[in-house]
Amino acid sequence: MSRADLVVQLAEAGAQNDHVKLERTVAALVAEARAKRHDTLADRLAKALGFVAPPSRQAPRSVNGSVLPEKVRDLLIERPARRGLDDLTLPADVETQVRDLIDEQHRADVLRSNSLDPRHRVMLAGPPGNGKTTLAEAIAFSLGVPFLTIRYDAVIDSYLGETAARLRRVFDYARATPCVLFLDEFDALGKERGDVHETGEIKRVVSSLLLQMDDLPSYTVIVCASNHPELLDRAVWRRFQLRLELPMPTRADLRRWLDQVGADRKALGFDPAALARDLEGGSFAEAEEFLLDVKRKIVLSGGAPKTIVAHQLKTWKKRFGPKAGAKFDDDGRQQSNTAAPTDA
């Protein structure tokens, strides 16, 4: 929304004595000012409407150094955003679309001057362990804004009316704060309202969630992730301007990832191409845990990296690859279980 539109809304809110609309409009102006690094103006606007708590009542500082107000302190977690897009291995089409979104956000003033808004609603789908959370973190890192994750254990209540109220508190804060708001396991909230097994109350929660998403300004990027996108309400899908799939990695993906994390022959004694073949079938998260296990054993035992990798591959393949009882050679590769033919 342009600055002119916000000023008009501010005048309308004052004329109508609509305090809720007044708060939301000022919150949007505060967020716009902070996005442009006009911190003095943002502080004055916020203080004028009592958005800033006295110093003695401020919440403890989060891991990124910002202050979460008391009303959302128990509902949100701010996580440090340490990895950017260059640190990830993404499908080419996914990376292109995410970079386009980041560019739109960085050049939002140009778009708004032409009555356009940058895209800011993203859905990530795919099996677990393949980078949905990390991609949301990378978007926050690239935009230089807080990376906020909703705590479902605190938001979802047995009294669903309370759940909707807590969601409103979270979204009210997100409207006033340029950030990446991340909703993992989104199917826990955005369920299909046509499901006959769901109660009327949960359907009202979904309806409230959709309204809250629609009301988010474009400087707040909302990223939702789901391992089961088939469970989502059809109206939920319509809200997202980017719908991206992060599939299980192919052998080529794992090969690129190994190069990226420095797992070369010199470090591990294994050819990365062969190691990518052996790790194929697992997710990025599982492959990362494999490498961490290898590094721990190298540090603690001081053994030969190649021997340690071969031993860890045997464990890996028993979990993810071949049939139980298969035998492996000294390099961790499966031996044939086919018996040699005998003369009759």
Side-chain angles (χ1 to χ4, degrees), residues 175-194:
R175 271 188 286 273
T177 309
C179 64
V180 169
L181 180 62
F182 181 55
L183 284 76
D184 199 5
E185 305 291 347
F186 186 60
D187 39 277
L189 283 177
K191 293 179 180 178
E192 170 61 60
R193 284 173 290 179

Side-chain angles (χ1 to χ4, degrees), residues 112-130:
R112 292 186 181 117
S113 67
N114 289 275
S115 302
L116 295 168
D117 280 320
R119 289 174 293 177
H120 65 113
R121 296 191 295 269
V122 184
M123 167 58 74
L124 304 178
N130 290 302

Side-chain angles (χ1 to χ4, degrees), residues 239-317:
R239 262 66 183 187
F240 294 99
Q241 298 143 325
L242 282 183
R243 307 166 193 173
L244 307 175
E245 182 178 2
L246 297 178
M248 293 289 287
T250 63
R251 185 184 303 184
D253 293 333
L254 289 167
R255 177 71 173 84
R256 286 193 298 130
W257 177 76
L258 287 168
D259 285 340
Q260 207 165 21
V261 298
D264 53 18
R265 185 191 293 273
K266 183 178 180 181
L268 299 179
F270 258 70
D271 177 16
L275 189 55
R277 179 197 63 206
D278 292 330
L279 294 176
E280 189 175 10
S283 67
F284 280 122
E286 291 163 338
E288 184 175 43
E289 190 57 41
F290 170 86
L291 283 187
L292 289 174
D293 284 344
V294 168
K295 290 177 180 178
R296 290 186 192 102
K297 292 185 182 301
I298 290 173
V299 169
L300 294 176
S301 70
K306 183 175 180 179
T307 302
I308 292 172
V309 171
H311 180 268
Q312 290 301 108
L313 277 175
K314 293 180 182 181
T315 303
W316 169 276
K317 291 180 178 182

Side-chain angles (χ1 to χ4, degrees), residues 15-282:
Q16 297 163 4
N17 198 25
D18 186 341
H19 191 70
V20 173
K21 185 175 183 179
L22 179 65
E23 281 193 350
R24 289 183 177 178
T25 306
V26 173
L29 286 167
V30 168
E32 183 189 51
R34 293 202 190 284
K36 294 179 179 179
R37 302 294 188 267
H38 299 161
D39 293 329
T40 301
L41 173 61
D43 290 342
R44 290 179 64 187
L45 283 169
K47 190 173 182 180
L49 226 60
F51 288 167
V52 178
S56 62
R57 296 179 56 194
Q58 285 184 342
R61 291 193 174 271
S62 69
V63 288
N64 266 5
S66 61
V67 176
L68 291 175
E70 187 174 354
K71 64 179 180 180
V72 295
R73 193 188 314 170
D74 296 330
L75 306 178
L76 289 170
I77 299 174
E78 183 180 354
R79 302 185 184 279
R82 298 192 177 102
R83 289 188 277 192
L85 287 180
D86 292 338
D87 299 316
L88 308 185
T89 301
L90 298 169
D93 61 325
V94 171
E95 181 173 353
T96 298
Q97 292 185 73
V98 172
R99 289 191 184 278
D100 285 346
L101 176 137
I102 290 169
D103 184 54
E104 289 174 19
Q105 287 288 328
H106 281 310
R107 304 180 66 192
D109 287 348
V110 177
L111 290 174
R112 292 186 181 117
S113 67
N114 289 275
S115 302
L116 295 168
D117 280 320
R119 289 174 293 177
H120 65 113
R121 296 191 295 269
V122 184
M123 167 58 74
L124 304 178
N130 290 302
K132 295 188 291 295
T133 302
T134 309
L135 179 53
E137 174 191 335
I139 293 172
F141 179 90
S142 301
L143 295 178
V145 297
F147 178 40
L148 305 178
T149 302
I150 285 187
R151 286 186 52 192
Y152 288 132
D153 60 326
V155 169
I156 298 177
D157 192 89
S158 56
Y159 297 100
L160 294 176
E162 181 63 24
T163 297
R166 292 174 183 175
L167 278 174
R168 280 195 298 273
R169 283 157 54 193
V170 167
F171 278 87
D172 283 346
Y173 179 70
R175 271 188 286 273
T177 309
C179 64
V180 169
L181 180 62
F182 181 55
L183 284 76
D184 199 5
E185 305 291 347
F186 186 60
D187 39 277
L189 283 177
K191 293 179 180 178
E192 170 61 60
R193 284 173 290 179
D195 187 345
V196 296
H197 301 292
E198 293 296 351
T199 66
E201 281 296 325
I202 192 63
K203 294 174 184 178
R204 281 190 282 275
V205 169
V206 175
S207 297
S208 173
L209 174 64
L210 297 181
L211 291 173
Q212 297 292 340
M213 289 175 58
D214 287 342
D215 203 27
L216 278 179
S218 59
Y219 50 74
T220 296
V221 177
I222 181 169
V223 181
C224 299
S226 176
N227 301 331
H228 302 284
E230 71 279 0
L231 299 179
L232 295 176
D233 189 276
R234 283 166 291 182
V236 168
W237 281 104
R238 184 176 63 79
R239 262 66 183 187
F240 294 99
Q241 298 143 325
L242 282 183
R243 307 166 193 173
L244 307 175
E245 182 178 2
L246 297 178
M248 293 289 287
T250 63
R251 185 184 303 184
D253 293 333
L254 289 167
R255 177 71 173 84
R256 286 193 298 130
W257 177 76
L258 287 168
D259 285 340
Q260 207 165 21
V261 298
D264 53 18
R265 185 191 293 273
K266 183 178 180 181
L268 299 179
F270 258 70
D271 177 16
L275 189 55
R277 179 197 63 206
D278 292 330
L279 294 176
E280 189 175 10

